[in-house]
Amino acid sequence: GHHYTLGRHQTYRWCKDIMKRINTKQYEKIIDAVYIDDRENKRKDYGLKQYVSLNPSIHHLDIGDYIFKGNDIEVVFEYKTGADFISSINNNHLHNQVVEMTSNYEYTFIIVVTENLQKDIDKLYYSTGRDMTTNQINGALSTFNTVSTVLYAQSTFQAFDLMMRMA
């Protein structure tokens, strides 16, 4: 069997490092608007509630699922469930999205919401017969991380919280 190699410990250490950097920010960025893509089905309402203080609104976004705007900066997030993430690596869709995002915006993030990526890999295999190796996923990850930043969250709540902190 194939095992996903980004261990929990590594991920934890890496998240702690990011959080430390965020918490010691010397300046406060002012986010005064959040655009939410109108295709974000159930998450639209959640986003409107979670970001109520940030003046959220629904738009048809060509790039990304969430755009945080303020102070002459725009921070774009592509939101993926684990299953979406894997199948969009598999069909190269994510690669194209990352190219679009990074050539149009300076600050970009891919947020992957999954409790267990290995389970998502197995599910894809059982439902489509397509087998993704850990190497393929790690390869894609390191490519994306050179131009953007991939973040992991274990729940919708955690994802929305992380987006707000990163923006």
Side-chain angles (χ1 to χ4, degrees):
H2 40 205
H3 285 288
Y4 197 65
T5 56
L6 188 72
R8 201 170 276 178
H9 185 66
Q10 257 173 304
T11 313
Y12 174 72
R13 225 179 37 219
W14 178 71
C15 281
K16 231 170 63 171
D17 183 51
I18 284 185
M19 289 311 172
K20 209 163 58 202
R21 283 199 310 236
I22 297 165
N23 294 336
T24 55
K25 268 195 310 205
Q26 259 67 66
Y27 65 100
E28 257 329 294
K29 281 184 288 193
I30 314 291
I31 297 291
D32 51 27
V34 179
Y35 287 8
I36 301 171
D37 186 51
D38 59 12
R39 287 159 295 206
E40 275 292 277
N41 51 52
K42 293 179 201 133
R43 290 191 295 264
K44 270 192 309 221
D45 300 332
Y46 192 75
L48 290 171
K49 273 198 226 68
Q50 280 288 101
Y51 299 137
V52 68
S53 61
L54 300 176
N55 186 24
S57 51
I58 306 288
H59 300 266
H60 192 78
L61 301 178
D62 292 327
I63 296 171
D65 295 315
Y66 300 87
I67 301 176
F68 288 70
K69 295 171 174 268
N71 270 22
D72 300 326
I73 63 154
E74 293 180 321
V75 183
V76 183
F77 292 89
E78 181 63 44
Y79 187 109
K80 296 270 181 226
T81 62
D84 284 347
F85 179 62
I86 291 160
S87 65
S88 62
I89 287 176
N90 195 289
N91 62 22
N92 232 13
H93 184 59
L94 188 56
H95 178 263
N96 302 335
Q97 284 179 312
V98 170
V99 169
E100 279 281 284
M101 268 189 352
T102 52
S103 41
N104 286 280
Y105 293 95
E106 195 180 346
Y107 304 103
T108 65
F109 292 92
I110 301 153
I111 191 145
V112 182
V113 184
T114 179
E115 282 178 35
N116 183 333
L117 206 54
Q118 185 60 52
K119 259 189 202 148
D120 297 327
I121 294 171
D122 296 340
K123 258 188 224 149
L124 179 82
Y125 177 67
Y126 293 125
S127 64
T128 66
R130 281 194 308 237
D131 199 7
M132 291 286 289
T133 65
T134 312
N135 287 351
Q136 283 172 292
I137 291 175
N138 285 341
L141 276 176
S142 52
T143 307
F144 297 149
N145 272 322
T146 55
V147 290
S148 184
T149 304
V150 180
L151 299 170
Y152 286 98
Q154 294 206 317
S155 64
T156 308
F157 173 78
Q158 203 184 28
F160 277 76
D161 186 51
L162 199 54
M163 286 194 283
M164 190 149 78
R165 286 165 185 261
M166 296 310 290

